[in-house]
Amino acid sequence: MVGHARPRDRRLCPRRSPRGGPRVSGVEVISFGCRLNTYEAEVMKREAGEAGLGSDGRKAILVNTCAVTAEAVRQARQAVRRARRDNPDARIVVTGCAAQTESARFADMTEVDAVIGNEEKLSAASYRALPDFGVAAAEKIRVNDIMSVRETAGHMVDAIEGRARAIVQVQNGCDHRCTFCIIPYGRGNSRSVPMGAAVTQVKRLVDNGYAEVVLSGVDMTSWGADLPGAPRLGTLVQSILRHVPDLQRLRLSSIDSVEADEALVEAIGGDRRVMPHLHLSLQAGDDMILKRMKRRHLRDDSIRFCAELRQKRPDIVFGADIIAGFPTETEAMFENSLGLVADCGLTHLHVFPFSPREGTPAARMPQLPKPVVKERAARLRALGDAAYRAHLGRAVGQRRAVLVEREGLGRTEDFTLAEIDTGLPGEIVDAIIHGETGERLLATSLPAARAAA
């Protein structure tokens, strides 16, 4: 998975690397998709700079794509065309998940000079070996078999440009094969960053002044399965909390609730430094649809997980990915997904109208009419918007700690967007919520916070 203006469908929004902080001369990254892509964009810039890309006076544009939906691929192709129009002499390199799964499609674009894979994009050697301008489409492609990759390096990043919080990759790839998902073919099988490397990276970022660190991965709750002794994600989280005492806020990106281990639940419920916001990969609220998706949980598992954590941590809020209009979904099945919003107490919804991805089993299932898919997605979004507005209303009058992202805007502990009257980016401001706009909270810093500053 990535601030965003509203807590929905953020994966389809391109993120250009913001100005500010150290940057590589002559290299621009246009990054789509999840937090992991955002993190990897920093590694790409560094490696491309070490390789000398862009140092000859010719601008280099790296397009870091997402493959989660057909719409994400369409937006990436659109961005490539726009980049070529705006930069006719630049070298344009396409990489990321969509480049891994559809390399020939991007190589056939006349605007593209080279296509490199998800593993290759993290190595300076790949940028040194890029072909010259004017080669045939097949010669543009530098994409290896991602399934042959067995390890993930703990790339050290000192900062994320323009971001108040830092991202640490702890896992990559996925061993599961959900019937709708193309991502394993873009990311490969699951592989974990060793615990020591992850702890060292968190400590390094905290020493560099970051108050909040986000742990990120493709299937983060599978972390550790490929490491000696098969440790679980909860062990990693507790180790970070123990060995980096100066870390003020630890946040988790999307997790698969059915794979959450006891130590992880204990850390979330018992340590206030773990932020009270979890984004869950739920996908549907009907057992038959979950089975056809080849998910590993049932509806009641999701409800039980949310109830258990809410009992341990009453201030916790949940977001979730939910797909509307999955093949064979009846109206009654869809109603079960609608009901999950209330039954789990979801407040931050990412709604995806089903988008068939070529090469996945779901693409071969009986499809629903597109107007039905669109209408169901709209209903689910409307329900999510209502739940979010109710969440905003409940926060009014409450005390919150706001991490300032940019002047006048930040995030509370539960990742709710808030306007704030003071504070520098990266600073945590103690505040009272005095109102809301329907989209964000309105926060006023406490006098004690101003005095301390």
Coordinates of all heavy atoms in Angstrom, one line a residue, residues 127-211:
Y127 N 20.4 0.4 -13.5 CA 20.4 1.7 -14.2 C 21.7 1.9 -15.0 O 21.6 2.6 -16.1 CB 20.2 2.8 -13.1 CG 18.9 2.7 -12.4 CD1 18.9 2.3 -11.1 CD2 17.7 3.1 -13.0 CE1 17.7 2.1 -10.4 CE2 16.5 2.9 -12.3 CZ 16.5 2.5 -11.0 OH 15.3 2.3 -10.3
R128 N 22.8 1.4 -14.6 CA 24.0 1.5 -15.5 C 23.8 0.7 -16.8 O 24.4 1.0 -17.8 CB 25.2 0.9 -14.7 CG 25.6 1.8 -13.5 CD 27.0 1.3 -12.9 NE 27.2 2.0 -11.7 CZ 27.1 1.4 -10.5 NH1 26.6 0.1 -10.4 NH2 27.3 2.0 -9.4
A129 N 23.0 -0.4 -16.7 CA 22.9 -1.3 -17.9 C 21.7 -0.9 -18.8 O 21.4 -1.7 -19.7 CB 22.7 -2.7 -17.4
L130 N 21.1 0.2 -18.6 CA 19.9 0.6 -19.4 C 20.3 0.7 -20.8 O 21.4 1.3 -21.1 CB 19.3 1.8 -18.9 CG 18.5 1.7 -17.5 CD1 18.0 3.1 -17.1 CD2 17.4 0.8 -17.7
P131 N 19.5 0.3 -21.8 CA 19.8 0.5 -23.2 C 19.7 1.9 -23.6 O 19.1 2.8 -23.0 CB 18.7 -0.3 -23.9 CG 17.6 -0.3 -22.9 CD 18.2 -0.3 -21.5
D132 N 20.4 2.2 -24.7 CA 20.3 3.6 -25.2 C 19.0 3.8 -25.9 O 18.2 2.9 -26.1 CB 21.5 3.8 -26.3 CG 22.8 3.7 -25.6 OD1 22.9 4.1 -24.5 OD2 23.8 3.3 -26.3
F133 N 18.8 5.1 -26.3 CA 17.6 5.5 -26.9 C 17.4 4.7 -28.3 O 18.4 4.4 -28.9 CB 17.5 7.0 -27.2 CG 17.3 7.8 -26.0 CD1 18.3 8.4 -25.3 CD2 16.0 7.9 -25.4 CE1 18.1 9.2 -24.2 CE2 15.8 8.7 -24.3 CZ 16.8 9.3 -23.7
G134 N 16.2 4.5 -28.7 CA 16.0 4.0 -30.1 C 16.0 2.5 -30.3 O 16.0 2.1 -31.4
V135 N 16.1 1.7 -29.2 CA 16.2 0.3 -29.4 C 14.8 -0.3 -29.6 O 13.8 0.3 -29.3 CB 16.8 -0.4 -28.1 CG1 18.2 0.1 -28.0 CG2 16.0 -0.1 -26.9
A136 N 14.7 -1.5 -30.1 CA 13.4 -2.2 -30.3 C 12.8 -2.5 -29.0 O 13.4 -2.5 -27.9 CB 13.7 -3.5 -31.1
A137 N 11.4 -2.8 -29.0 CA 10.7 -2.9 -27.8 C 11.2 -4.1 -26.9 O 11.3 -3.9 -25.7 CB 9.2 -3.2 -28.2
A138 N 11.6 -5.2 -27.6 CA 12.1 -6.3 -26.8 C 13.4 -6.0 -26.1 O 13.7 -6.5 -25.0 CB 12.3 -7.5 -27.7
E139 N 14.2 -5.1 -26.7 CA 15.5 -4.7 -26.1 C 15.3 -3.8 -24.9 O 16.2 -3.6 -24.1 CB 16.4 -4.1 -27.1 CG 16.8 -5.1 -28.2 CD 17.6 -4.4 -29.3 OE1 17.0 -3.8 -30.2 OE2 18.9 -4.5 -29.2
K140 N 14.1 -3.2 -24.8 CA 13.9 -2.2 -23.7 C 13.7 -3.0 -22.4 O 13.9 -2.4 -21.3 CB 12.6 -1.4 -24.0 CG 12.6 -0.5 -25.2 CD 11.2 0.2 -25.3 CE 11.1 1.1 -26.5 NZ 9.8 1.7 -26.5
I141 N 13.3 -4.2 -22.4 CA 12.9 -4.9 -21.2 C 14.0 -5.5 -20.4 O 14.9 -6.2 -21.0 CB 11.9 -6.0 -21.6 CG1 10.7 -5.4 -22.3 CG2 11.5 -6.8 -20.4 CD1 9.7 -6.5 -22.9
R142 N 14.1 -5.1 -19.2 CA 15.1 -5.7 -18.2 C 14.3 -6.2 -17.0 O 14.3 -5.6 -15.9 CB 16.1 -4.6 -17.8 CG 16.9 -4.0 -18.9 CD 17.9 -5.1 -19.5 NE 18.9 -4.5 -20.4 CZ 18.7 -4.4 -21.7 NH1 17.5 -4.8 -22.2 NH2 19.6 -3.9 -22.5
V143 N 13.5 -7.3 -17.2 CA 12.6 -7.8 -16.2 C 12.9 -9.3 -16.0 O 12.8 -10.1 -16.9 CB 11.2 -7.6 -16.6 CG1 10.2 -8.2 -15.5 CG2 10.8 -6.1 -16.7
N144 N 13.4 -9.7 -14.8 CA 13.7 -11.1 -14.5 C 12.5 -11.8 -13.9 O 11.5 -11.1 -13.5 CB 14.9 -11.2 -13.7 CG 16.2 -10.7 -14.4 OD1 16.3 -10.9 -15.6 ND2 17.1 -10.1 -13.7
D145 N 12.6 -13.1 -13.6 CA 11.6 -13.8 -13.0 C 11.5 -13.5 -11.5 O 12.4 -13.9 -10.7 CB 11.9 -15.3 -13.2 CG 10.9 -16.2 -12.5 OD1 9.8 -15.7 -12.1 OD2 11.1 -17.4 -12.3
I146 N 10.5 -12.8 -11.1 CA 10.4 -12.3 -9.7 C 10.2 -13.5 -8.8 O 10.5 -13.4 -7.6 CB 9.2 -11.3 -9.6 CG1 9.3 -10.5 -8.2 CG2 7.9 -12.0 -9.7 CD1 10.4 -9.6 -8.1
M147 N 9.7 -14.6 -9.3 CA 9.4 -15.8 -8.4 C 10.8 -16.4 -8.0 O 10.8 -17.2 -7.0 CB 8.6 -16.8 -9.1 CG 7.2 -16.3 -9.4 SD 6.3 -15.9 -7.8 CE 4.7 -15.3 -8.5
S148 N 11.8 -16.1 -8.7 CA 13.1 -16.7 -8.3 C 13.8 -15.9 -7.2 O 14.8 -16.4 -6.6 CB 14.0 -16.7 -9.5 OG 14.4 -15.4 -9.9
V149 N 13.3 -14.8 -6.8 CA 13.9 -14.0 -5.8 C 13.5 -14.6 -4.4 O 12.3 -14.8 -4.1 CB 13.4 -12.5 -5.8 CG1 14.0 -11.7 -4.7 CG2 13.7 -11.9 -7.2
R150 N 14.5 -14.8 -3.6 CA 14.3 -15.5 -2.3 C 14.5 -14.6 -1.1 O 14.2 -15.0 0.0 CB 15.2 -16.8 -2.2 CG 14.9 -17.8 -3.3 CD 13.5 -18.5 -2.9 NE 13.2 -19.5 -3.9 CZ 12.2 -19.3 -4.8 NH1 11.6 -18.2 -4.8 NH2 11.9 -20.3 -5.6
E151 N 15.2 -13.5 -1.3 CA 15.5 -12.6 -0.1 C 15.1 -11.2 -0.4 O 15.0 -10.8 -1.6 CB 17.0 -12.7 0.2 CG 17.4 -14.1 0.7 CD 18.9 -14.1 1.1 OE1 19.6 -13.1 0.9 OE2 19.4 -15.1 1.6
T152 N 14.8 -10.4 0.7 CA 14.6 -9.0 0.6 C 15.6 -8.3 1.4 O 15.7 -8.6 2.6 CB 13.2 -8.6 1.0 OG1 12.3 -9.1 0.0 CG2 13.0 -7.2 1.2
A153 N 16.3 -7.4 0.8 CA 17.4 -6.6 1.6 C 16.7 -5.5 2.4 O 15.7 -5.0 2.0 CB 18.4 -6.0 0.6
G154 N 17.3 -5.2 3.5 CA 16.8 -4.1 4.4 C 17.4 -2.8 3.9 O 18.4 -2.4 4.6
H155 N 17.0 -2.3 2.8 CA 17.6 -1.1 2.3 C 17.5 0.1 3.3 O 16.4 0.3 3.8 CB 16.9 -0.7 1.0 CG 17.0 -1.7 -0.1 ND1 18.1 -1.7 -0.9 CD2 16.1 -2.6 -0.6 CE1 18.0 -2.7 -1.8 NE2 16.8 -3.2 -1.7
M156 N 18.6 0.7 3.6 CA 18.6 1.8 4.5 C 18.3 3.1 3.9 O 18.9 3.5 2.9 CB 20.0 1.9 5.1 CG 20.4 0.7 6.0 SD 19.4 0.6 7.5 CE 20.0 -1.0 8.2
V157 N 17.3 3.7 4.4 CA 16.8 5.0 3.9 C 16.9 6.0 5.1 O 16.3 5.7 6.1 CB 15.4 5.0 3.3 CG1 14.9 6.3 3.0 CG2 15.3 4.0 2.1
D158 N 17.6 7.1 4.9 CA 17.7 8.1 6.0 C 16.5 9.0 6.1 O 16.3 9.6 7.2 CB 19.0 9.0 5.7 CG 20.2 8.2 5.9 OD1 20.3 7.3 6.8 OD2 21.2 8.3 5.1
A159 N 15.7 9.2 5.0 CA 14.6 10.1 5.1 C 13.7 9.8 3.9 O 14.1 9.2 2.9 CB 15.1 11.6 5.0
I160 N 12.4 10.2 4.0 CA 11.4 10.1 2.9 C 11.1 11.6 2.6 O 10.6 12.3 3.4 CB 10.2 9.4 3.4 CG1 10.5 8.0 3.9 CG2 9.2 9.3 2.2 CD1 11.0 7.0 2.8
E161 N 11.5 12.0 1.4 CA 11.3 13.4 1.1 C 9.9 13.9 1.3 O 9.0 13.3 0.8 CB 11.8 13.6 -0.4 CG 13.3 13.6 -0.6 CD 13.6 14.0 -2.0 OE1 12.8 14.6 -2.7 OE2 14.7 13.7 -2.4
G162 N 9.8 15.1 1.9 CA 8.5 15.7 2.1 C 7.6 15.0 3.0 O 6.4 15.4 3.1
R163 N 8.0 14.0 3.8 CA 7.1 13.2 4.6 C 7.4 13.4 6.1 O 8.6 13.4 6.4 CB 7.1 11.8 4.2 CG 6.4 11.6 2.9 CD 6.4 10.1 2.4 NE 5.7 10.0 1.2 CZ 4.4 9.7 1.1 NH1 3.6 9.6 2.2 NH2 3.8 9.7 -0.1
A164 N 6.4 13.6 6.9 CA 6.6 13.7 8.3 C 6.8 12.4 9.0 O 7.3 12.4 10.1 CB 5.4 14.5 8.9
R165 N 6.4 11.3 8.4 CA 6.6 10.0 9.0 C 7.5 9.2 8.0 O 7.5 9.4 6.8 CB 5.2 9.3 9.2 CG 4.4 9.0 7.9 CD 3.1 8.4 8.2 NE 2.3 9.1 9.2 CZ 1.6 10.2 8.9 NH1 1.5 10.6 7.6 NH2 0.9 10.8 9.8
A166 N 8.2 8.3 8.6 CA 9.1 7.4 7.8 C 8.5 6.1 7.6 O 7.7 5.6 8.4 CB 10.4 7.3 8.5
I167 N 8.9 5.4 6.5 CA 8.4 4.1 6.1 C 9.5 3.1 6.2 O 10.6 3.4 5.7 CB 7.8 4.1 4.7 CG1 6.6 5.1 4.7 CG2 7.2 2.7 4.3 CD1 6.2 5.4 3.3
V168 N 9.3 2.0 6.8 CA 10.3 0.9 6.8 C 9.7 -0.4 6.2 O 8.7 -0.9 6.6 CB 10.8 0.6 8.2 CG1 11.7 -0.6 8.3 CG2 11.5 1.8 8.8
Q169 N 10.4 -0.8 5.1 CA 9.9 -2.1 4.5 C 10.4 -3.3 5.4 O 11.6 -3.4 5.6 CB 10.5 -2.2 3.1 CG 10.1 -3.6 2.5 CD 10.9 -3.8 1.2 OE1 11.8 -3.0 0.8 NE2 10.7 -4.9 0.6
V170 N 9.5 -4.1 5.8 CA 9.9 -5.3 6.6 C 9.6 -6.6 5.8 O 10.1 -7.7 6.2 CB 9.3 -5.3 8.0 CG1 9.7 -4.1 8.8 CG2 7.8 -5.4 7.9
Q171 N 8.8 -6.5 4.7 CA 8.4 -7.7 4.0 C 8.1 -7.4 2.6 O 7.7 -6.2 2.3 CB 7.2 -8.3 4.7 CG 6.7 -9.6 4.2 CD 5.7 -9.5 3.1 OE1 5.1 -8.4 2.9 NE2 5.4 -10.5 2.3
N172 N 8.2 -8.3 1.7 CA 7.8 -8.1 0.3 C 7.2 -9.4 -0.2 O 7.5 -10.5 0.3 CB 9.1 -7.8 -0.5 CG 8.7 -7.0 -1.8 OD1 7.6 -7.0 -2.2 ND2 9.7 -6.3 -2.4
G173 N 6.4 -9.3 -1.3 CA 5.9 -10.5 -1.9 C 4.7 -11.1 -1.1 O 4.4 -10.7 0.0
C174 N 4.1 -12.2 -1.7 CA 3.0 -12.9 -1.1 C 2.9 -14.3 -1.5 O 3.1 -14.6 -2.7 CB 1.7 -12.1 -1.5 SG 0.2 -12.8 -0.7
D175 N 2.7 -15.2 -0.6 CA 2.6 -16.6 -0.9 C 1.2 -17.1 -1.2 O 0.9 -18.2 -1.6 CB 3.1 -17.5 0.3 CG 4.6 -17.4 0.4 OD1 5.3 -17.1 -0.5 OD2 5.1 -17.7 1.6
H176 N 0.2 -16.2 -0.9 CA -1.2 -16.5 -1.1 C -1.6 -16.2 -2.6 O -0.9 -15.5 -3.3 CB -2.1 -15.7 -0.2 CG -1.7 -15.9 1.3 ND1 -1.6 -17.1 1.9 CD2 -1.3 -14.9 2.2 CE1 -1.2 -16.9 3.1 NE2 -1.0 -15.6 3.3
R177 N -2.6 -16.9 -3.0 CA -3.1 -16.7 -4.4 C -4.6 -16.4 -4.4 O -5.4 -17.2 -4.9 CB -2.7 -17.9 -5.2 CG -1.2 -18.2 -5.4 CD -0.5 -17.1 -6.1 NE 0.9 -17.4 -6.3 CZ 1.9 -16.9 -5.5 NH1 1.5 -16.2 -4.5 NH2 3.1 -17.2 -5.7
C178 N -4.9 -15.2 -3.9 CA -6.3 -14.8 -4.0 C -6.8 -14.7 -5.4 O -6.0 -14.3 -6.3 CB -6.5 -13.5 -3.3 SG -6.1 -13.5 -1.5
T179 N -8.0 -15.2 -5.7 CA -8.4 -15.3 -7.1 C -8.5 -14.0 -7.9 O -8.5 -14.1 -9.2 CB -9.7 -16.1 -7.2 OG1 -10.7 -15.3 -6.5 CG2 -9.6 -17.5 -6.6
F180 N -8.6 -12.9 -7.2 CA -8.7 -11.6 -7.9 C -7.4 -10.9 -8.1 O -7.3 -9.8 -8.7 CB -9.7 -10.7 -7.1 CG -9.2 -10.5 -5.7 CD1 -8.3 -9.5 -5.4 CD2 -9.7 -11.3 -4.7 CE1 -8.0 -9.3 -4.1 CE2 -9.4 -11.1 -3.4 CZ -8.5 -10.1 -3.1
C181 N -6.3 -11.4 -7.4 CA -5.1 -10.6 -7.2 C -3.9 -10.9 -8.1 O -3.5 -12.1 -8.3 CB -4.7 -10.7 -5.8 SG -3.3 -9.6 -5.3
I182 N -3.4 -9.9 -8.8 CA -2.2 -10.1 -9.7 C -0.9 -9.7 -8.9 O 0.2 -10.0 -9.4 CB -2.4 -9.1 -10.9 CG1 -1.4 -9.6 -12.0 CG2 -2.1 -7.7 -10.5 CD1 -1.8 -10.8 -12.7
I183 N -1.0 -9.2 -7.7 CA 0.2 -8.7 -7.0 C 1.3 -9.7 -6.8 O 2.5 -9.4 -7.0 CB -0.2 -7.9 -5.7 CG1 -1.1 -6.7 -6.0 CG2 1.0 -7.5 -5.0 CD1 -0.5 -5.7 -7.0
P184 N 1.0 -10.9 -6.4 CA 2.1 -11.9 -6.3 C 3.0 -12.1 -7.5 O 4.2 -12.4 -7.4 CB 1.4 -13.2 -5.9 CG 0.1 -12.8 -5.3 CD -0.3 -11.5 -6.0
Y185 N 2.4 -11.9 -8.7 CA 3.1 -12.0 -9.9 C 4.0 -10.8 -10.2 O 4.9 -10.8 -11.0 CB 2.2 -12.3 -11.1 CG 1.3 -13.5 -10.7 CD1 0.0 -13.4 -10.3 CD2 1.9 -14.8 -10.9 CE1 -0.7 -14.5 -9.9 CE2 1.1 -16.0 -10.6 CZ -0.2 -15.8 -10.1 OH -0.9 -16.9 -9.8
G186 N 3.6 -9.7 -9.5 CA 4.5 -8.5 -9.6 C 5.5 -8.4 -8.5 O 6.5 -7.7 -8.7
R187 N 5.2 -9.0 -7.4 CA 6.1 -8.9 -6.2 C 6.9 -10.2 -5.9 O 7.8 -10.2 -5.1 CB 5.3 -8.5 -5.0 CG 4.9 -7.0 -5.1 CD 6.0 -6.1 -4.8 NE 5.7 -4.7 -4.8 CZ 6.5 -3.7 -4.5 NH1 7.8 -4.0 -4.2 NH2 6.2 -2.4 -4.6
G188 N 6.4 -11.3 -6.4 CA 7.0 -12.6 -6.1 C 6.5 -13.2 -4.8 O 5.5 -12.7 -4.2
N189 N 7.2 -14.2 -4.3 CA 6.8 -14.9 -3.1 C 7.2 -14.1 -1.9 O 8.1 -13.3 -1.9 CB 7.3 -16.3 -3.1 CG 6.7 -17.2 -4.1 OD1 5.5 -17.2 -4.3 ND2 7.5 -18.0 -4.8
S190 N 6.6 -14.4 -0.7 CA 6.9 -13.7 0.5 C 8.3 -13.9 1.0 O 8.8 -15.0 1.0 CB 5.9 -14.2 1.6 OG 6.1 -13.4 2.8
R191 N 8.9 -12.8 1.4 CA 10.3 -12.8 1.9 C 10.4 -11.7 2.9 O 9.8 -10.6 2.7 CB 11.3 -12.7 0.8 CG 11.1 -11.7 -0.2 CD 11.6 -12.1 -1.6 NE 11.6 -11.0 -2.5 CZ 10.6 -10.6 -3.2 NH1 9.5 -11.2 -3.2 NH2 10.7 -9.5 -4.0
S192 N 11.1 -11.9 4.0 CA 11.2 -11.0 5.1 C 12.5 -10.3 5.3 O 13.6 -11.0 5.0 CB 10.8 -11.8 6.4 OG 9.7 -12.5 6.3
V193 N 12.5 -9.1 5.7 CA 13.7 -8.4 6.1 C 14.1 -8.9 7.5 O 13.2 -9.0 8.4 CB 13.5 -6.9 6.2 CG1 14.7 -6.2 6.7 CG2 13.2 -6.3 4.8
P194 N 15.3 -9.4 7.7 CA 15.7 -9.9 9.1 C 15.4 -8.9 10.2 O 15.5 -7.7 10.0 CB 17.2 -10.2 8.9 CG 17.4 -10.4 7.5 CD 16.4 -9.5 6.8
M195 N 15.1 -9.4 11.3 CA 14.7 -8.6 12.5 C 15.7 -7.5 12.8 O 15.4 -6.3 13.0 CB 14.4 -9.4 13.7 CG 13.7 -8.6 14.8 SD 13.4 -9.6 16.3 CE 12.5 -11.0 15.6
G196 N 17.0 -7.9 12.9 CA 18.0 -7.0 13.2 C 18.1 -5.8 12.3 O 18.3 -4.7 12.7
A197 N 18.0 -6.1 11.0 CA 18.1 -5.1 10.0 C 16.9 -4.1 10.1 O 17.1 -2.9 10.0 CB 18.1 -5.7 8.6
A198 N 15.7 -4.6 10.4 CA 14.5 -3.8 10.5 C 14.7 -2.9 11.8 O 14.4 -1.7 11.7 CB 13.3 -4.7 10.6
V199 N 15.1 -3.4 12.9 CA 15.3 -2.7 14.1 C 16.3 -1.6 13.9 O 16.1 -0.4 14.3 CB 15.7 -3.6 15.3 CG1 16.1 -2.7 16.5 CG2 14.5 -4.5 15.6
T200 N 17.4 -1.9 13.2 CA 18.5 -0.9 12.9 C 18.0 0.2 12.1 O 18.3 1.4 12.3 CB 19.7 -1.6 12.2 OG1 20.2 -2.6 13.1 CG2 20.7 -0.6 11.8
Q201 N 17.1 -0.1 11.1 CA 16.6 0.9 10.2 C 15.7 1.9 11.0 O 15.7 3.1 10.8 CB 15.8 0.3 9.0 CG 15.1 1.3 8.2 CD 16.0 2.2 7.3 OE1 17.1 2.4 7.7 NE2 15.4 2.8 6.3
V202 N 14.8 1.3 11.9 CA 13.9 2.1 12.7 C 14.7 3.1 13.6 O 14.4 4.3 13.7 CB 13.0 1.3 13.5 CG1 12.2 2.1 14.5 CG2 12.0 0.5 12.6
K203 N 15.7 2.5 14.2 CA 16.6 3.3 15.1 C 17.3 4.4 14.3 O 17.4 5.6 14.8 CB 17.6 2.5 15.8 CG 18.5 3.2 16.9 CD 19.4 2.3 17.6 CE 20.1 3.0 18.7 NZ 20.7 4.3 18.3
R204 N 17.7 4.1 13.1 CA 18.4 5.1 12.3 C 17.5 6.3 12.0 O 17.8 7.5 12.0 CB 18.9 4.4 11.0 CG 19.7 5.3 10.1 CD 20.3 4.5 9.0 NE 20.9 5.2 7.9 CZ 21.8 4.6 7.1 NH1 22.0 3.3 7.1 NH2 22.4 5.4 6.1
L205 N 16.2 6.0 11.6 CA 15.3 7.0 11.3 C 14.9 7.8 12.5 O 14.7 9.1 12.4 CB 14.0 6.4 10.7 CG 14.2 5.8 9.3 CD1 13.1 4.8 8.9 CD2 14.4 6.9 8.2
V206 N 14.7 7.2 13.7 CA 14.4 7.9 14.9 C 15.6 8.8 15.2 O 15.4 10.0 15.6 CB 14.1 6.9 16.0 CG1 14.0 7.7 17.4 CG2 12.8 6.2 15.8
D207 N 16.8 8.4 15.1 CA 18.0 9.2 15.3 C 18.0 10.4 14.4 O 18.6 11.4 14.7 CB 19.2 8.4 15.2 CG 19.4 7.4 16.4 OD1 18.7 7.5 17.4 OD2 20.2 6.5 16.2
N208 N 17.4 10.2 13.2 CA 17.4 11.3 12.2 C 16.2 12.3 12.5 O 15.9 13.2 11.7 CB 17.3 10.8 10.8 CG 18.6 10.2 10.3 OD1 19.7 10.5 10.9 ND2 18.6 9.5 9.3
G209 N 15.4 12.0 13.6 CA 14.4 13.0 13.9 C 13.0 12.6 13.7 O 12.1 13.4 13.9
Y210 N 12.7 11.4 13.1 CA 11.3 11.0 12.9 C 10.7 10.6 14.2 O 11.2 9.7 14.9 CB 11.3 9.9 11.9 CG 11.5 10.3 10.4 CD1 12.7 10.3 9.8 CD2 10.4 10.8 9.7 CE1 12.9 10.8 8.5 CE2 10.5 11.2 8.4 CZ 11.8 11.2 7.8 OH 11.9 11.6 6.5
A211 N 9.5 11.1 14.4 CA 8.7 10.8 15.6 C 7.8 9.5 15.3 O 7.4 8.8 16.2 CB 7.8 11.9 16.0

